[in-house]
């Protein structure tokens, strides 16, 4: 399911897998490498009204080719702090939202 030369799916792979029931895309920036197609995928998700959730636990601090941080393209960014991740707390994690209205719903 990965795009050629990438560790992540590309826009074309997502389009081939999408169905009328698709509501969200969860994208992992794997091994510290930003998804090469993140901008195109973010545009696709916006166009199709799909949620975009970026998993950044293995790529915190990583930037795309244009210098923007991963986790800032989607509606939500999530990270695990499990013991095998680059930044650990033994367990747990976090989620951040692009829009304040979603942030308020995430508060526990």
């Amino acid at each position: 399911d990965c795009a050629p030369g990438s560790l992540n799916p590309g826009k074309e792979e997502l389009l081939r897998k999408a169905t009328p029931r698709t509501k969200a895309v969860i994208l992992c920036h794997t091994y510290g490498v930003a998804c090469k197609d993140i901008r195109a995928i973010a545009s696709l998700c916006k166009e199709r009204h799909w949620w975009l959730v970026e998993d950044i636990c293995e790529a915190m601090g990583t930037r795309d080719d244009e210098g923007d941080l991963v986790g800032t393209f989607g509606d939500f960014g999530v990270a695990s702090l499990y013991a095998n991740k680059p930044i650990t707390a033994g367990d747990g994690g976090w989620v951040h939202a692009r829009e304040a209205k979603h942030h308020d719903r995430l508060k526990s």
Side-chain angles (χ1 to χ4, degrees):
D1 294 355
C2 294
S6 177
L7 300 171
N8 297 297
K11 178 181 174 182
E12 296 306 315
E13 286 74 24
L14 290 175
L15 285 170
R16 278 196 292 276
K17 297 286 184 175
T19 72
R21 295 179 54 197
T22 300
K23 301 287 185 232
V25 172
I26 301 174
L27 182 71
C28 295
H29 298 281
T30 309
Y31 306 128
V33 178
C35 175
K36 290 182 182 188
D37 263 1
I38 187 59
R39 291 177 185 276
I41 291 169
S43 293
L44 173 67
C45 289
K46 191 171 200 171
E47 174 187 308
R48 299 272 178 113
H49 303 284
W50 295 342
W51 296 102
L52 177 56
V53 180
E54 295 179 77
D55 180 336
I56 64 168
C57 68
E58 292 185 357
M60 288 181 251
T62 299
R63 296 179 182 272
D64 76 338
D65 291 339
E66 295 183 32
D68 292 317
L69 287 167
V70 298
T72 63
F73 297 94
D75 300 290
F76 301 96
V78 298
S80 166
L81 298 175
Y82 191 67
N84 67 339
K85 301 303 178 194
I87 297 177
T88 70
D91 210 352
W94 79 79
V95 59
H96 63 266
R98 176 178 289 283
E99 296 182 35
K101 66 182 179 181
H102 301 305
H103 174 265
D104 293 342
R105 292 189 65 194
L106 293 170
K107 288 182 185 177
S108 56

